Amino acid sequence: MIYNNIQIITGNANPALARGICEYLQRPLSDGVCEKFPDTETNIKLNSDVRGSDVFIVQPTCAPVNEHLMELLLFCDTLRRSSAGRITTVVPYFGYARKDRKDEGRVPISAKLVANLMTKAGADRVVTIDLHAQQIQGFFDIPVDHLYGSKVQFSYYRQLNLPDLVVVSPDVGGMKMARAYSSALHALLAVVDKRRLSPDSAEVGFLIGDVEDKNVLLVDDLIATAGTLVEAAKLLKDKGALDIYVAATHPILCGPAIDRLTDAPIKQITVTDTVPLSQQAKEMGKIKVLSVVPLLGEAIRRIHKDESVSSLFIDTGEYQAV
Ligand code: R5P
């Protein structure tokens, strides 16, 4: 079904990304209010008519996660009650994704709850990038377009053309992503055996593979406290690695992350703009941001035109730095 005009709406999570998408689509950002009542409740108001429109809400659920999630849900509710034609939540970073199963007794499956909330609030469709676990798509009973941040990273590392490269996954869970990088970059593959000790610390055991006298690209879906990547980088240095690069999609960078990364034996970190980078992270000087604006902009254009989105998953070797 073809809906009326595209409208792009954003909350406070990543307005720069939303503006970039608007530029790509040559559409204005729809006007609205997304602020706080004096008692800290979220106040939403749309200032344009959305009746029959194909509306895309660009809102990663990054920190403060609950604030941004609530903004997203309230936008969905507002749009549903304002007779929008179709509501698509564009959630480039899907928070709560790491709690996707009952791995111990008496805990929630937070990712499933968030999926339920989004659908119940009125979302008809979801666009996202690098879910922590791909099977979270199945938590939704509405269409999910799952895009890959690696698409913008591949071409950057092709241009860098690092000799003797080994792609390393910092844990077994990341092997599928690491295999995609190693195949795209024609590099060898290795994996670190990681155990999580607490939410902000990880312990590495041994390395499967060889990195001696090789350059390394460590790949992950996200950097939170950076415990995983920094411990892996130290192990790789001990094993004789040359320069260590990191490619991660979502720069969450919370808690001790900046201090850890500053001191770590890592030469450069490439991330995407699914979530905004803090000033402190920018000042560290090790992080380069590659933009997912063309990826998301094109996905939105195709969804609106009822064209295939899956061809976007094919690697074309183009990237845009910001
Ligand atoms: C774990 O499975 C993820 O892919 C990341 O490696 C992890 O969540 C990163 O967390 P942190 O940076 O806090 O170690």
Side-chain angles (χ1 to χ4, degrees):
M1 176 168 175
I2 303 290
Y3 295 88
N4 294 351
N5 60 321
I6 291 184
Q7 293 213 38
I8 307 288
I9 285 174
T10 189
N12 292 309
N14 196 348
L17 180 70
R19 281 195 295 271
I21 291 171
C22 286
E23 258 173 52
Y24 181 93
L25 295 167
Q26 299 186 314
R27 305 283 316 163
L29 189 60
S30 296
D31 186 31
V33 170
C34 181
E35 56 186 25
K36 287 266 178 284
F37 285 115
D39 62 358
T40 77
E41 287 176 359
T42 302
N43 178 23
I44 300 281
K45 166 105 175 75
L46 296 177
N47 291 329
S48 54
D49 182 10
V50 292
R51 188 173 293 271
S53 292
D54 197 7
V55 185
F56 295 82
I57 315 165
V58 179
Q59 178 89 334
T61 47
C62 51
V65 179
N66 295 346
E67 296 286 335
H68 292 152
L69 176 60
M70 196 63 194
E71 288 177 6
L72 179 65
L73 297 173
L74 290 172
F75 269 123
C76 287
D77 189 70
T78 308
L79 289 164
R80 188 166 52 91
R81 292 173 195 281
S82 311
S83 306
R86 177 171 62 181
I87 303 166
T88 301
T89 55
V90 181
V91 190
Y93 168 67
F94 185 92
Y96 282 113
R98 286 184 286 174
K99 207 71 190 160
D100 61 352
R101 64 194 178 284
K102 271 191 80 170
D103 49 2
E104 56 182 319
R106 301 184 296 280
V107 294
I109 303 180
S110 314
K112 174 63 181 162
L113 175 65
V114 171
N116 285 347
L117 289 171
M118 248 186 242
T119 313
K120 196 72 190 162
D124 296 305
R125 187 174 196 108
V126 180
V127 177
T128 189
I129 300 182
D130 285 341
L131 285 168
H132 177 65
Q134 294 213 18
Q135 55 270 28
I136 292 171
Q137 291 172 62
F139 289 3
F140 291 91
D141 284 326
I142 52 176
V144 176
D145 292 301
H146 184 236
L147 309 173
Y148 298 99
S150 53
K151 192 174 161 68
V152 295
Q153 304 259 16
F154 287 165
S155 46
Y156 176 76
Y157 283 98
R158 279 193 188 118
Q159 287 187 9
L160 220 51
N161 197 18
L162 297 166
D164 299 321
L165 187 66
V166 185
V167 172
V168 180
S169 173
D171 55 31
V172 175
M175 270 308 279
K176 204 172 166 200
M177 177 184 267
R179 201 179 304 121
Y181 273 84
S182 85
S183 136
L185 302 175
H186 305 291
L188 295 170
L189 187 59
V191 60
V192 172
D193 164 49
K194 174 194 98 172
R195 274 191 306 136
R196 183 161 286 293
L197 301 176
S198 69
D200 71 350
S201 67
E203 184 183 65
V204 292
F206 50 87
L207 170 75
I208 303 169
D210 179 20
V211 295
E212 191 168 359
D213 295 328
K214 305 251 186 340
N215 289 305
V216 166
L217 178 60
L218 261 168
V219 301
D220 212 342
D221 58 330
L222 63 92
I223 313 174
T225 65
T228 302
L229 285 170
V230 169
E231 289 310 307
K234 287 184 195 159
L235 175 72
L236 296 168
K237 265 291 171 198
D238 288 348
K239 299 287 180 189
L242 301 175
D243 288 338
I244 299 176
Y245 294 76
V246 167
T249 307
H250 311 296
I252 303 304
L253 303 179
C254 54
I258 302 292
D259 290 340
R260 283 175 172 172
L261 291 170
T262 304
D263 298 337
I266 294 172
K267 186 164 182 180
Q268 193 189 46
I269 302 161
T270 49
V271 296
T272 75
D273 53 356
T274 53
V275 300
L277 207 58
S278 68
Q279 193 53 35
Q280 210 194 352
K282 285 179 192 157
E283 283 165 9
M284 188 176 45
K286 270 188 186 179
I287 301 184
K288 183 174 184 64
V289 181
L290 307 175
S291 184
V292 291
V293 161
L295 186 63
L296 288 172
E298 188 56 22
I300 290 172
R301 192 194 67 75
R302 290 183 190 203
I303 290 165
H304 179 65
K305 295 274 181 200
D306 230 357
E307 290 174 6
S308 164
V309 175
S310 56
S311 53
L312 273 179
F313 304 156
I314 299 162
D315 167 33
T316 58
E318 287 162 16
Y319 82 95
Q320 184 185 350
V322 292

